Amino acid sequence: MGNRLSETTRRRLDIQGLERVDDQSLALVAPWLRLAFGLCAASGTSNIRIRSWRAPHRRGGVGEQRGYLHTITHVSLDLWVPAPAWIGRSLQPPQSMRNAPLLFAATLAAGTAFAQGNRRVPTIDDLLLVKQAAGAQISPDGERVAYTVSEADFKQDAFVNHVWIADVKSGRVFQLTRGEKSAGSPRWSPDGEWLAFTSDRVGGKNQLFVIRTAGGEAVQLTKAENGLGGYAWSRDGKHIAYTASDVDAKATKDRKDNMGDFEVVRREYNHSHLWTFDLADALMEPATGTQRTRGKTFSVGSFTWSPDGSRIAFDATINPDLINGGTSDLYVLAVADNVVKTIVAQQGPDNSPRWSPDGTQLVFSSAMGNPRYFHSNARLAVVSAEGGAPRSITDTFDEQPGLIDWRGDGVYFGGLQKTNSHLFRVDPATATITRLS
């Protein structure tokens, strides 16, 4: 049991960049990598910089190399979270938010104390017992942070995630979900009264649940036949949209029973489509909701509600195969009649749409038709929500912009300058970029 988990961990560490490791070098570097990637996941960042030196680790005769001994000398972390309400009004967060970094600083301090207070080489079992925080979500009022904690369950031979909440002002933390089944992807309702999360605790398929943070039992909201993928609250908190696979579960089961379990690679795709449901109805009884998109023309990726809740902007590829990520285009769905309109269709990926505050435009990440997008920086571009020619607003930014949100005073994004991460704001009308941090 322990060996299976150990092998999983070793493979995960290899993927993160250790091309050649032996047992000693893995044991030395693994705690720092786990701490770095754990903080990266907890903060929702997509950028992490690790500076290190590596020296040949020699065994046997002179010049015989059997691996590399890595020593981590510096870790810099980019901390970007979904933009709370105070962004766009002031560069200073509310008083209750100014201690939020302590949550992550405490985690870093704990890792440092472990390294300094216990000089022995940690074992794989030690690493498996380290709990990892991830998926931090700040409440609408900035008073609380919801996040997940992952820990090894040797009885199940698995890693189990549960939702925790931290009070920013007092520093008190408490576990919100429990049980043998994992809970993940926490998202606050717009009024902060509910916290939604996903779990396969019922029926073995990922469904959506909500729980009042003041206490009480979790309520199952969905009964999606194939389980759900991503989800998002509408701005008024009355509706929720989610994605789910279009696979015909009965037909798949019948074929498996008659001919065995197989799949024709790159021919049989299970496309992802949009569904919506009313929160009030689902609180009474788990709902499937209304399917909004269908067919094999595209597979839905990320999506976002318009400010008035009448439309949903989303990106989609021709199928869910990773090799077709460059086919991602932008669409807008009208909730009233399920009409889907193509907004941007150009060479290279166009994805991650965000609405302007007045709902008339979209900002998104774009290759701007560059056929060599795979080794070039993306751009942030603006387009009318009715369609038209997209216009890049970050041509003068010589790094990869990470879109955060469009607020009243501009579009916020994160990016690197040399080895430092910063917060930027760009005026969508003039393309003037201002560094804020």
Side-chain angles (χ1 to χ4, degrees):
M1 182 183 301
N3 289 337
R4 288 173 61 191
L5 283 169
S6 300
E7 287 301 314
T8 300
T9 301
R10 188 184 182 101
R11 287 196 298 271
R12 287 173 62 192
L13 290 170
D14 289 347
I15 290 172
Q16 299 293 357
L18 295 179
E19 297 178 356
R20 300 175 62 186
V21 296
D22 56 23
D23 290 338
Q24 182 180 5
S25 62
L26 174 64
L28 285 172
V29 74
W32 298 104
L33 283 176
R34 284 178 65 87
L35 176 63
F37 292 127
L39 287 172
C40 182
S43 62
T45 181
S46 58
N47 296 312
I48 188 167
R49 290 290 183 269
I50 298 179
R51 291 203 297 269
S52 65
W53 60 265
R54 69 178 185 177
H57 181 52
R58 303 179 187 276
R59 292 179 180 172
V62 176
E64 182 181 2
Q65 294 188 15
R66 295 292 180 85
Y68 290 99
L69 180 65
H70 284 63
T71 299
I72 301 299
T73 60
H74 177 76
V75 175
S76 64
L77 181 67
D78 302 341
L79 176 59
W80 302 121
V81 295
W86 47 266
I87 286 188
R89 297 199 303 263
S90 169
L91 296 184
Q92 292 296 325
Q95 185 65 38
S96 59
M97 279 295 297
R98 295 176 190 173
N99 292 325
L102 293 179
L103 176 66
F104 304 106
T107 307
L108 180 61
T112 304
F114 172 81
Q116 294 175 348
N118 188 344
R119 302 295 295 181
R120 70 178 176 84
V121 175
T123 66
I124 293 296
D125 285 340
D126 290 332
L127 300 181
L128 293 175
L129 293 173
V130 175
K131 298 179 181 180
Q132 296 190 55
Q137 296 287 318
I138 299 174
S139 64
D141 60 7
E143 299 288 341
R144 295 161 294 172
V145 178
Y147 60 100
T148 59
V149 174
S150 175
E151 60 182 308
D153 184 330
F154 287 93
K155 182 180 178 181
Q156 298 187 70
D157 193 20
F159 289 97
V160 177
N161 301 322
H162 278 294
V163 179
W164 288 64
I165 291 182
D167 183 89
V168 173
K169 185 176 296 184
S170 67
R172 185 177 71 93
V173 300
F174 63 93
Q175 186 173 348
L176 190 64
T177 65
R178 299 180 183 275
E180 293 185 349
K181 296 293 187 177
S182 288
S185 304
R187 298 288 186 273
W188 296 92
S189 63
D191 61 6
E193 292 295 319
W194 295 96
L195 187 66
F197 63 92
T198 59
S199 178
D200 63 353
R201 59 176 62 180
V202 177
K205 294 182 178 179
N206 217 33
Q207 303 292 350
L208 188 62
F209 297 78
V210 290
I211 187 172
R212 289 193 182 274
T213 56
E217 295 291 334
V219 179
Q220 181 180 347
L221 295 182
T222 62
K223 55 177 182 180
E225 181 180 10
N226 300 312
L228 59 82
Y231 72 95
W233 292 86
S234 64
R235 303 287 181 92
D236 60 9
K238 295 180 179 180
H239 310 277
I240 294 178
Y242 69 91
T243 54
S245 168
D246 67 351
V247 61
D248 186 333
K250 184 179 184 304
T252 300
K253 182 180 183 302
D254 291 343
R255 188 177 77 171
K256 180 179 179 180
D257 292 342
N258 294 328
M259 296 183 287
D261 191 10
F262 69 93
E263 179 181 347
V264 182
V265 177
R266 291 188 173 168
R267 183 172 297 177
E268 298 179 346
Y269 292 109
N270 298 325
H271 288 62
S272 178
H273 285 289
L274 275 171
W275 300 67
T276 66
F277 63 89
D278 294 337
L279 179 63
D281 294 340
L283 286 172
M284 301 297 293
E285 182 181 7
T288 301
T290 302
Q291 185 172 359
R292 299 296 183 175
T293 64
R294 59 184 71 241
K296 299 295 184 180
T297 305
F298 55 71
S299 183
V300 177
S302 65
F303 56 94
T304 179
W305 287 88
S306 64
D308 63 3
S310 65
R311 293 169 293 174
I312 299 175
F314 63 92
D315 61 64
T317 54
I318 59 174
N319 59 52
D321 198 326
L322 291 176
I323 200 172
N324 289 315
T327 67
S328 180
D329 291 323
L330 294 190
Y331 303 84
V332 167
L333 162 76
V335 176
D337 54 14
N338 295 336
V339 172
V340 175
K341 182 176 183 178
T342 303
I343 303 301
V344 176
Q346 58 185 354
Q347 190 170 7
D350 300 291
N351 49 44
S352 304
R354 300 287 188 275
W355 290 90
S356 62
D358 62 6
T360 62
Q361 299 180 84
L362 294 166
V363 63
F364 59 100
S365 177
S366 176
M368 291 304 293
N370 182 3
R372 299 180 179 179
Y373 65 88
F374 48 86
H375 64 74
S376 302
N377 290 329
R379 296 284 183 259
L380 298 186
V382 171
V383 67
S384 167
E386 301 300 325
R391 173 175 54 87
S392 173
I393 58 174
T394 58
D395 285 343
T396 60
F397 188 72
D398 190 25
E399 289 290 353
Q400 181 80 4
L403 178 59
I404 298 176
D405 204 359
W406 190 338
R407 311 298 291 186
D409 58 347
V411 175
Y412 286 79
F413 67 93
L416 292 173
Q417 288 198 334
K418 296 183 178 179
T419 58
N420 296 318
S421 300
H422 293 284
L423 176 66
F424 299 84
R425 182 181 63 222
V426 56
D427 185 326
T430 64
T432 300
I433 297 175
T434 305
R435 199 181 91 178
L436 304 176
S437 66

